[in-house]
Amino acid sequence: MKWFLSLLILIPSTLPASTPVSIKSLDELWFTQEQSAPASVITLNAPVISAELNARVLEIHAETGDKVSAGDLLVKLDCRRAEADLSAAEAVLRQLEAQYDFAHQQVRRADDLLKKRSISDQEVDQRKSEESRLSAQLDAQKATIRQASIQVENCSVTAPFDAIVTQRMADRGMLATTGTPLLKLLETDALEVSARLNSAEVESLSNSSEQWFETGGNRYPVRLRSAVPLLDESTRTSEARFSFADVTPVAGSAGRLIWALSSRTIPAEYLVRRNGQLGIFLFEDGKARFHNLEDALEGRPAIVEFPSSTLLIVEGRDSLNDGDTVSPAQTGTGPIQDGNAPGSMQ
């Protein structure tokens, strides 16, 4: 009987010890990992509007800070000389048209006379040559009129697109010559984000699902338009351009480009190292199973590609080895409870 009682006493000591741990499903821990880089908002079009003819400034219809729409009148120039040149060109055209009509009639008469053999072939050729010469002069004069019409149009300086006037350079009464700056515009609908990224950031960005430009506490959705395949020799970075999806901030805004890497990332605090490998402990059939994460880095969040219901050991993992028997002190959120928790070892 004594030997039987001794055997009963020894049996529990031979059973493997169960370590209490706290576990959570991965979908409770996953978060979207983000990366960022300095960036700024630039405009694609910020032209200086200049005079295209020599004329005096008569009227200015836009001031610094004004919003203008495409086609709005910005500056009115003295157009008397341009209009006079156009009138003169039109008068020359009418003169040439009369001469051409006469020459054309002469050719028709010559054709009739030639049938009756009442005119020489040489005279017929001369009349046709005169008609051709006048026809060419008509074409040249029409081109001169088109040029003069353009100059008249240039007397009214209009906005080429929807924009904001950022600087007024002209004054009423000043004599503007061809190329004289009048106004500086900033196109409001042509803004992009510019960021300089290193090779690792470009590769990371190529795997992202979403990008934003953040400034002043606000985030604006953007999408990659192009990445310049040229590294700057001094900074070893290349420029990437992003277009806005909808709302845009003010041109010139400085901020950060932010991109999402993965929505299946867990915090770095749950990573452990065993036998020189970095990984995590999962709860599988009452056992702690170590899984190596090849791409994980010390102290950085890690992407975990397991089903969302997979149970991760979040507390009590530091002393575990692969294959240890464990019992969940609590499933879900919250710290490990005391020894009276369900499933804990007494």
Side-chain angles (χ1 to χ4, degrees), residues 50-121:
S50 303
E52 297 185 56
L53 75 164
N54 301 332
R56 195 169 300 280
V57 177
L58 297 181
E59 304 170 5
I60 299 177
H61 293 267
E63 298 293 339
T64 300
D66 287 353
K67 291 184 178 180
V68 295
S69 301
D72 284 355
L73 179 63
L74 302 177
V75 178
K76 181 68 175 177
L77 302 177
D78 186 353
C79 209
R80 290 176 296 175
R81 179 173 297 179
E83 290 171 345
D85 291 341
L86 177 59
S87 297
E90 290 172 341
V92 173
L93 178 64
R94 290 192 296 271
Q95 181 182 4
L96 289 172
E97 286 174 340
Q99 294 175 359
Y100 176 80
D101 289 343
F102 177 75
H104 183 65
Q105 291 176 2
Q106 290 293 90
V107 170
R108 292 179 60 185
R109 289 173 186 163
D111 288 338
D112 292 339
L113 292 173
L114 184 61
K115 293 177 182 178
K116 300 175 183 180
R117 310 303 300 173
S118 300
I119 191 172
S120 66
D121 291 340

Side-chain angles (χ1 to χ4, degrees), residues 32 35 104 121 145 176 258 268 285 289-290 302 306 335:
T32 300
Q35 195 167 348
H104 183 65
D121 291 340
I145 289 176
I258 299 175
D285 298 326
R289 295 299 181 187
F290 179 78
F306 287 101

Side-chain angles (χ1 to χ4, degrees), residues 114 117-128:
L114 184 61
R117 310 303 300 173
S118 300
I119 191 172
S120 66
D121 291 340
Q122 181 180 3
E123 187 173 352
V124 172
D125 291 341
Q126 287 177 346
R127 293 186 182 185
K128 289 183 177 180

Side-chain angles (χ1 to χ4, degrees), residues 209-229:
S209 58
E210 294 181 281
Q211 301 100 36
W212 304 270
F213 174 73
E214 185 176 85
T215 182
N218 296 318
R219 283 192 175 187
Y220 301 87
V222 297
R223 54 182 175 269
L224 178 65
R225 183 181 65 80
S226 66
V228 180

Side-chain angles (χ1 to χ4, degrees), residues 138-215:
L138 277 174
D139 291 339
Q141 190 60 27
K142 289 177 181 178
T144 300
I145 289 176
R146 286 196 295 270
Q147 293 176 351
S149 299
I150 292 173
Q151 288 294 79
V152 172
E153 293 175 0
N154 289 338
C155 295
S156 298
V157 181
T158 58
F161 40 68
D162 295 347
I164 296 176
V165 179
T166 58
Q167 187 178 359
R168 167 182 162 178
M169 303 174 178
D171 295 318
R172 287 184 58 190
M174 67 175 282
L175 178 61
T177 59
T178 302
T180 298
L182 303 175
L183 297 169
K184 187 172 183 179
L185 303 183
L186 177 70
E187 188 174 9
T188 55
D189 297 329
L191 300 179
E192 286 190 346
V193 173
S194 173
R196 301 203 66 87
L197 308 174
N198 58 40
S199 300
E201 290 171 331
V202 171
E203 182 178 357
S204 169
L205 182 66
S206 65
N207 297 321
S208 69
S209 58
E210 294 181 281
Q211 301 100 36
W212 304 270
F213 174 73
E214 185 176 85
T215 182

